[in-house]
Amino acid sequence: MLASVEARPSFKRLPRAVREQQMLDAAVRVFSRRGFHEASMDEIAVEAGISKPMVYAYLGSKDDLFRACVNREGTRLLESIVAAVGDDLPADEQLWRGLRGFFGFVGAHREGWAVLYRQAKSRQPFADDLASLRARIVEVVAGMLRKAVTQEGKTDAKDQDLTASAYALVGAAESIADWLADHPEADPDHSAARLMNFTWLGARQLLQGELWQPSSA
Amino acid sequence: MLASVEARPSFKRLPRAVREQQMLDAAVRVFSRRGFHEASMDEIAVEAGISKPMVYAYLGSKDDLFRACVNREGTRLLESIVAAVGDDLPADEQLWRGLRGFFGFVGAHREGWAVLYRQAKSRQPFADDLASLRARIVEVVAGMLRKAVTQEGKTDAKDQDLTASAYALVGAAESIADWLADHPEADPDHSAARLMNFTWLGARQLLQGELWQPSSA
Amino acid sequence: MLASVEARPSFKRLPRAVREQQMLDAAVRVFSRRGFHEASMDEIAVEAGISKPMVYAYLGSKDDLFRACVNREGTRLLESIVAAVGDDLPADEQLWRGLRGFFGFVGAHREGWAVLYRQAKSRQPFADDLASLRARIVEVVAGMLRKAVTQEGKTDAKDQDLTASAYALVGAAESIADWLADHPEADPDHSAARLMNFTWLGARQLLQGELWQPSSA
Amino acid sequence: MLASVEARPSFKRLPRAVREQQMLDAAVRVFSRRGFHEASMDEIAVEAGISKPMVYAYLGSKDDLFRACVNREGTRLLESIVAAVGDDLPADEQLWRGLRGFFGFVGAHREGWAVLYRQAKSRQPFADDLASLRARIVEVVAGMLRKAVTQEGKTDAKDQDLTASAYALVGAAESIADWLADHPEADPDHSAARLMNFTWLGARQLLQGELWQPSSA
DNA sequence: AATGAATGAGGCTTCATTCAT
DNA sequence: AATGAATGAAGCCTCATTCAT
């Protein structure tokens, strides 16, 4: 039966789509393990159980391949978050679920995502792909914050402030995710809870108009 | 007079100490511009206006050179923060000054520090140097938080919680610094103020025992 | 026919085994001509009519390559001697044939072996390979001497003396081979005869118990 | 007193002749330790306790320096042998003393000579210096053999045979010296005695017209 | 007399990428 | 559809040698 054929790691004559996924799986592993530059096309081909020319035939150059990895993983992450957030829940609940979704995904793809993410940030051609992913996530978060503000009755919050807050939150989350990726024993939910607390309370105060003021200059 | 001879921008036969700084300056620029692996020793030598063998003679291998960059910049950053914090001020004032010092430094060394920092995080041999720098910063921050707690009259805050909070704060700051390094038009002080607000209020609530609780499992 | 296509000296897309031998041939020539350190991988690649990366792909580093040369030539030499010696002949006849085999081989591979041999002696990692080859040759020679002693009726020759004599003989042969390799006009058989005479008579006397004694301290 | 000044390792303002000897001492050590190519002028300068430009000023290029080493050591060796041989002694006694002189010198300069000798043999420009040294030694040995023949009453020995025998003897001696240089625990006199026995008896037979003849073609 | 500063040249090695089968 | 064979280009590093003081 086909099912069993797909289940065992058959390396011959697979349809293109399947082969491509195998290659991407292998590429993600190798890029994560070594970093972009240290990863060699040779190693990726071996890891995929396929010859190098096939990799070039299917996925193109090393840059193309890496971008494909970033995009596939990025899409999965975004979907993971969106699915977790849900539609009709209170803002804090949504934020909480979103954070859990995010950290859960990173926790489950430690070796995959976080390292891959780190790579992409520093290499120019990929930074753009990443930036657009990030922008979409920020948008989602900003939406939640706007909803929260509305719930609290505040209506004059400036959009720019909301976006800035969302940006800070996402940045903090990424920073913690980075750390999470390096600490296999850490619990993603715990990270989510900590950030939730740390952020939510602060954000609420902030959105309620309370501000810390420097006493000097 | 000799003085004038020394004064004109002579590029030949400089004493070792001077050349080393020139090289480090050049290396920081190139590493920032290209990233560790994409940076070539050739380009660094050209940027420093000197031949490659001199770089090897004075600073050693590419790894050695990079580590020297990380250490020099890291030391400067730390000193920058410590100097800003001051000794006998209220905790919030100290935190505020520390953040301003931090973001001010990053803002002034945009191309230098943040990118260099990004590089070091991912390359194993340097990650250690970076981790120790970070640990020292976290310690400074935790000290401020402890002081804050004492001022607020709370005495039962667990040290572990303080460290965790400090860690999160530093992570958030780094994340924002990353963003700052990529946005030349952004104002460091503004970043400092935002994080100060965002964090201080939240931290205060947190330290006062208030916790956000998920309404569902 | 395909056969004719394969027969013409095509220099492209040869199977690995063939290319490896071509490379080894070239490497032996270049190492012989220049010595280990003065030989460049570039020159070897050119001599082999192939690009450098292929050399690395098939034979590894310069050290690996050199060791492969030493081993291939060493094996050939040993086989050459063993084949010449034969099994059931009087000891002197065997020694004679062995020497002819040895010098014949060296004479036929002048540029190859002897210089290569000189190189290997001085470079640490290869000296071991060489020492083991030499040990096997010494063993063969010692076996012949033992047989000779038995034929002469002497039964009390100490094994250690036999080995020492074999060592000296091999050393002398190597020394003459060295000279032979530098003198293209010299006749290998003549060298064999000279050493045979020089040694055999001396060895016989020695093994019969006759000793030269210094008349003074 | 000058004596004491010269005795302690003073590194300043020494007369040129002394400096040159210091440099040669250092160079011999380093060349022996590393081999010609692996020896760096830097290491030699450091070993000599002097700056590199001084080495170039006094002894010229690396090749010049190496040749100076070979010549100094070669001259010393030759003088050592000639002095040992003496003038009016029986031929066998002279040979014995010559061998003792040779192996004694090598034994006392293990690290110096033998390795240096090995180096010189393989590097073209120096091989000539070495060949001329060798020719002089061979001549000395041939002289002894001629004397021996005369003493034995044989007058028809061909000069070419004498030279050939002398060559073989010298070659064997060098071979053993090589081995000696690598075995610090070996006794030079023992080597001399072994070669003396092995050779003298054989040579005597040979010179008396006795020849080993192959029984087959 | 002596040296710290400086460099041109060259060697080993690796890799992304393509060709011919 | 698939791959073994092949290479141009580039990078790190070292060293003999010289210059300017």
Side-chain angles (χ1 to χ4, degrees), chain C residues 61-102:
Chain C
S61 72
K62 192 182 183 184
D63 272 31
D64 291 341
L65 176 57
F66 186 68
R67 179 171 298 144
C69 290
V70 171
N71 285 335
R72 191 184 71 167
E73 299 298 313
T75 303
R76 286 181 177 175
L77 170 65
L78 189 58
E79 284 169 357
S80 196
I81 296 175
V82 168
V85 163
D87 255 351
D88 285 318
L89 290 167
D92 60 340
E93 187 66 22
Q94 280 190 317
L95 184 57
W96 165 240
R97 288 173 178 235
L99 286 174
R100 277 188 55 179
F102 176 70

Side-chain angles (χ1 to χ4, degrees), chain A residues 66-76 116 129-130 136:
Chain A
F66 187 68
R67 179 169 299 145
C69 291
V70 172
N71 285 334
R72 192 185 70 169
E73 298 298 313
T75 303
R76 286 182 177 173
L116 197 145
D129 297 66
L130 209 56
R136 277 179 289 164

